[in-house]
Amino acid sequence: MNGSYPVIAPVVEGHGEERALQGLLHRLVPHLHEGAYADIQQPYRLPRDRMLRPDHLAQALTVVTARRPSPTAVLVLLDADDDCAVELSARVRDLARESHGHVPLTAIVAVREFEAWFLAGASGLAGHMGLPHDLVPPPDPEAVRGAKEWLSDRMPPGITYRPPAHQPSFAQRFDLEAARAGAPSFDKFCREVARLLG
């Protein structure tokens, strides 16, 4: 522990998450624990295929754990796509343990994709960046195959959802509690962040 607060080093797979996750965590920490603070470091981007290779994951963990202040925990975030989120999370943890077993690490896998969390908290995005004012979540957000397309279909004609452009803004606005209720993988993410806060 550095000082009296946690230091979290995120590792993400996409350019969008690279820009969005730091802001989401800054928003989420005081939401989970009023008055809480954590030093959220700049996410390290590691494409999904490399994240699942021991040498590349080990290299990423070496880089982030060498930062100052020294991280108290590493948070790995990736999309399940069509894989089982539970199995994929365990696989990443096992790979990390091979080279950095001494590092506190949690691996969170968004079911389908990160944007499923936006769908679950869609009421918070109503009227934002051209989305309809009456925007409501789909019945089962994590079952939607193509959450990015779901968002694009509800944007004005000619506008397409693009993760690097939209994720940082959406991450600041989607309804956190509705997302926890509608997307179990986001609830898992919140519980893990709360655990890292101590």
Side-chain angles (χ1 to χ4, degrees):
M1 181 76 73
N2 292 277
S4 59
Y5 52 84
V7 180
I8 300 174
V11 177
V12 300
E13 64 167 309
H15 289 288
E17 291 91 351
E18 186 179 20
R19 295 187 58 195
L21 185 59
Q22 193 174 27
L24 173 57
L25 287 169
H26 279 303
R27 181 185 176 204
L28 188 61
V29 166
H31 179 81
L32 294 172
H33 290 302
E34 187 176 355
Y37 172 78
D39 182 345
I40 311 297
Q41 298 185 336
Q42 174 65 33
Y44 181 98
R45 193 178 77 83
L46 185 65
R48 189 178 190 273
D49 60 331
R50 297 183 186 179
M51 201 179 283
L52 300 177
R53 292 178 52 181
D55 51 342
H56 287 282
L57 181 60
Q59 183 179 22
L61 294 176
T62 297
V63 170
V64 299
T65 55
R67 290 174 174 172
R68 294 293 178 269
S70 182
T72 56
V74 175
L75 188 158
V76 179
L77 175 66
L78 68 162
D79 293 346
D81 296 332
D82 290 327
D83 292 327
C84 170
V86 174
E87 292 177 2
L88 192 55
S89 174
R91 182 177 172 189
V92 172
R93 288 197 308 273
D94 289 344
L95 289 174
R97 206 171 287 129
E98 290 179 11
S99 62
H100 291 74
H102 60 292
V103 175
L105 179 144
T106 186
I108 303 298
V109 180
V111 172
R112 297 286 184 206
E113 53 192 320
F114 182 79
E115 282 79 3
W117 298 353
F118 294 156
L119 269 55
S123 57
L125 301 176
H128 181 60
M129 297 185 80
L131 288 168
H133 288 277
D134 58 353
L135 186 69
V136 295
D140 186 356
E142 291 187 333
V144 173
R145 184 182 293 274
K148 295 178 180 67
E149 290 75 12
W150 190 95
L151 290 165
S152 288
D153 288 346
R154 285 152 182 82
M155 289 180 164
I159 297 179
T160 301
Y161 173 83
R162 292 183 297 113
H166 293 96
Q167 273 191 3
S169 179
F170 284 12
Q172 293 302 309
R173 288 178 172 268
F174 75 109
D175 187 319
L176 296 175
E177 287 305 314
R180 290 192 75 167
S185 66
F186 182 67
D187 183 60
K188 170 70 171 173
F189 174 78
C190 292
R191 286 185 280 116
E192 284 298 295
V193 171
R195 184 178 65 81
L196 297 181
L197 296 176

